[in-house]
């Protein structure tokens, strides 16, 4: 009997098993203000969207010494505690009489105008200290995350010494950190691996409001952020 003719033999399908390629996780862009005032954070919220609050967002920080001192410290509680957070006695109120004005006296110049409601006492001062300790820890956690592209944005000039110290401070927390320090100022400077300059003269839309406008509405921030998004950060293979 010819089994070949009497039975239909069906060859099993050969399934080519392809190894699933590991998906490359797309890095998230995070925009973080490092001063000098609240205008950078205001425009991050306006253009990019409202995100969690970072350490420097709503503080007045007139120089980079303050920023670098925060990033360099081994223990944030040495800089921010009930003995270093002081209410301004001569000028006790913020922009309005709804909030008190506080200084972090351990830093070169760091001022809070929005955090503590008027009429508050020690309990609110303690809450202020705890808030900034949390924000510091959140900031360091972001710096240590290699799946994040961080754009540290400062409105104002940064000299070379302060710039190099800032970069060193970030790399001390995470040598593989993907970040750019973005200086928004009225000058053009040479860019480097960790630093980019945005000349605000190229984004002016209203010169009549140059002085005293904390929201920085005299600049086209949508175009500024579009330019920042084009900046390449350097990835480190894990």
């Amino acid at each position: 009997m010819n089994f070949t003719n009497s039975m239909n033999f069906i060859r099993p399908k050969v399934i080519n098993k392809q190894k699933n390629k590991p998906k490359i996780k797309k890095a998230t862009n995070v925009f973080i203000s490092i001063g000098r005032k609240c205008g950078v954070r205001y425009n991050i919220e306006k253009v990019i969207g409202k995100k969690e609050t970072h350490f420097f967002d709503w503080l007045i920080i007139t120089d980079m010494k303050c920023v670098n001192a925060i990033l360099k410290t081994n223990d944030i509680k040495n800089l921010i505690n009930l003995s270093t957070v002081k209410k301004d006695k001569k000028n006790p109120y913020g922009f309005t009489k709804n909030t008190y004005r506080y200084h972090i006296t351990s830093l070169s110049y760091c001022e809070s105008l929005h955090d503590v409601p008027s009429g508050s006492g020690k309990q609110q001062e303690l809450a202020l200290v705890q808030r900034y300790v949390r924000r510091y820890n959140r900031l360091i956690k972001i710096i240590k995350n290699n799946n994040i592209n961080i754009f540290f944005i400062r409105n104002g000039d940064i000299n070379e010494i302060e710039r190099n110290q800032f970069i060193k401070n970030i790399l001390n927390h995470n040598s593989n950190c993907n970040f750019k320090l973005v200086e928004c100022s009225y000058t053009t400077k040479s860019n480097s691996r960790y630093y980019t300059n945005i000349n605000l003269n190229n984004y002016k839309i209203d010169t009549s409001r140059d002085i005293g406008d904390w929201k920085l509405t005299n600049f086209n921030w949508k175009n500024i952020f579009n330019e920042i998004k084009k900046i390449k950060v350097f990835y480190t293979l894990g």
Side-chain angles (χ1 to χ4, degrees), residues 39-56:
V40 174
R41 171 64 188 201
Y42 171 82
N43 284 288
I44 289 173
E45 288 192 359
K46 185 178 177 182
V47 179
I48 304 299
K50 194 166 184 177
K51 308 292 182 182
E52 60 188 359
T53 305
H54 298 296
F55 189 95
F56 303 102

Side-chain angles (χ1 to χ4, degrees), residues 79-232:
L79 294 178
I80 301 177
N81 53 63
L82 286 174
S83 63
T84 62
V85 174
K86 300 290 185 183
K87 185 168 68 175
D88 192 318
K89 293 181 179 180
K90 292 183 179 179
N91 188 12
Y93 297 108
F95 285 123
T96 70
K97 290 191 174 183
N98 294 326
T99 55
Y100 281 144
R101 181 187 303 264
Y102 274 83
H103 296 276
I104 300 175
T105 58
S106 57
L107 301 171
S108 53
Y109 193 93
C110 185
E111 186 177 58
S112 163
L113 302 177
H114 310 286
D115 289 296
V116 181
S118 299
S120 301
K122 285 292 181 184
Q123 198 63 33
Q124 285 295 329
E125 288 182 2
L126 177 60
L128 174 65
V129 169
Q130 292 172 338
R131 182 179 304 132
Y132 279 94
V133 170
R134 285 196 306 273
R135 289 178 182 175
Y136 169 84
N137 290 331
R138 184 185 301 150
L139 174 62
I140 300 305
K141 187 176 179 180
I142 290 170
I143 292 170
K144 290 183 176 181
N145 188 334
N146 291 338
N147 291 318
I148 293 177
N149 296 332
I150 313 172
F151 297 95
F152 292 102
I153 305 170
R154 180 164 176 86
N155 175 39
D157 286 306
I158 307 172
N159 66 47
E160 188 176 357
I161 294 173
E162 291 170 338
R163 182 201 316 165
N164 291 339
Q165 184 61 58
F166 178 89
I167 293 168
K168 182 180 178 181
N169 289 335
I170 299 297
L171 294 176
N172 281 342
H173 285 290
N174 178 9
S175 60
N176 294 328
C177 184
N178 301 311
F179 75 97
K180 284 284 187 180
L181 171 60
V182 182
E183 175 188 328
C184 298
S185 63
Y186 293 101
T187 55
T188 298
K189 299 177 183 178
S190 298
N191 298 333
S192 63
R193 175 170 183 174
Y194 296 112
Y195 167 81
T196 296
N197 169 253
I198 297 285
N199 191 327
L200 291 174
N201 289 308
N202 300 326
Y203 300 92
K204 277 189 178 182
I205 54 176
D206 186 351
T207 57
S208 66
R209 289 181 287 181
D210 272 1
I211 300 173
D213 179 17
W214 73 268
K215 294 181 179 179
L216 303 172
T217 54
N218 46 320
F219 303 108
N220 188 327
W221 282 92
K222 185 176 181 180
N223 287 353
I224 290 172
F225 281 110
N226 284 340
E227 193 63 31
I228 291 172
K229 287 176 185 178
K230 295 177 187 176
I231 299 170
K232 293 181 180 180

